[in-house]
Amino acid sequence: MKNKFFGNASFTFLLILAALLLYYQFLTQPEINEDVPLPQELHPVVQENKDVLVQKAAEIGIRVLVTDGFRSFEEQNQLYEKGRSKDGQIVTHAKGGESYHNFGLAIDFALLNKQGKALWDTTYDGNGNGKSDWMEVVGIAKELGFTWGGDWNHFKDYPHLEMRFGLTINDLKRGKRPPEDALTASQN
């Protein structure tokens, strides 16, 4: 009887501890540091590598269309509502302030076929070399220091490329920013 009591008490204690930890984590989510200006465009390194990505892909016969880059918090919230309170499919799990797009550190892309139509087909081989154009673009992006959303475990975001510069979303909310000429974009 004594062991059953302590077993139940231990279980109850662990549940309370887990609830407190979750509550604490929720309460300690940083607010946006308003003393540090928010970016209004892509970070210069992201911009430069975006342009290099498009050029390198073109050199091997792949046309890349960058469909999105910097996104304001308001734009992010509108996108977040898709598939929730607005028509369409869910395309993001990030609200305003929770995406690297909001800090100028991410882009989304598509491929253009020979007729100029945007494609999100990860198996398309428009340059006819027997390889997926999508994966060729991802390979170039990774060489340039981008992290690919298709590698994520929780939510696969195949068009998404980002450069974190070793910073988390919480770091960015607290006001940390990568230097304008950062060379360590791919640090996770």
Side-chain angles (χ1 to χ4, degrees):
M1 182 80 162
K2 188 175 183 182
N3 284 343
K4 187 175 181 182
F5 173 76
F6 284 112
N8 287 341
S10 296
F11 181 72
T12 303
F13 174 75
L14 289 175
L15 280 178
I16 291 170
L17 182 61
L20 287 172
L21 286 172
L22 288 172
Y23 181 71
Y24 175 76
Q25 182 180 5
F26 182 76
L27 283 180
T28 59
Q29 290 293 322
E31 294 294 319
I32 298 297
N33 181 345
E34 295 181 11
D35 294 334
V36 179
L38 288 169
Q40 299 298 311
E41 58 190 18
L42 284 178
H43 184 280
V45 173
V46 177
Q47 178 66 46
E48 180 181 337
N49 283 311
K50 172 195 74 120
D51 295 342
V52 171
L53 173 68
V54 171
Q55 179 59 40
K56 284 185 174 253
E59 290 170 5
I60 58 171
I62 301 171
R63 294 171 54 202
V64 173
L65 171 67
V66 175
T67 59
D68 211 352
F70 170 80
R71 231 184 262 144
S72 70
F73 286 22
E74 182 180 322
E75 291 167 322
Q76 186 72 36
N77 284 330
Q78 289 173 359
L79 194 59
Y80 179 81
E81 292 305 320
K82 278 183 130 182
R84 293 177 176 87
S85 64
K86 293 182 181 174
D87 290 339
Q89 292 182 315
I90 291 176
V91 293
T92 185
H93 290 288
K95 293 180 181 178
E98 297 174 356
S99 171
Y100 284 91
H101 284 282
N102 305 144
F103 298 94
L105 303 178
I107 61 172
D108 292 335
F109 76 97
L111 303 175
L112 291 173
N113 67 11
K114 290 175 177 43
Q115 294 74 36
K117 180 183 175 194
L119 304 172
W120 287 266
D121 180 351
T122 60
T123 63
Y124 177 73
D125 180 20
N127 64 359
N129 66 357
K131 300 176 190 173
S132 156
D133 289 358
W134 196 274
M135 296 312 295
E136 288 184 85
V137 171
V138 167
I140 295 166
K142 287 180 176 183
E143 288 174 10
L144 294 170
F146 284 101
T147 300
W148 178 45
D151 287 333
W152 296 344
N153 293 327
H154 61 287
F155 172 71
K156 302 288 186 185
D157 191 353
Y158 295 104
H160 184 85
L161 300 168
E162 64 187 36
M163 292 186 159
R164 298 179 184 174
F165 299 92
L167 300 171
T168 66
I169 290 293
N170 285 344
D171 291 335
L172 294 165
K173 285 181 177 183
R174 289 184 184 107
K176 291 184 181 178
R177 302 287 183 266
E180 297 295 308
D181 60 348
L183 299 175
T184 56
S186 64
Q187 290 180 352
N188 292 328

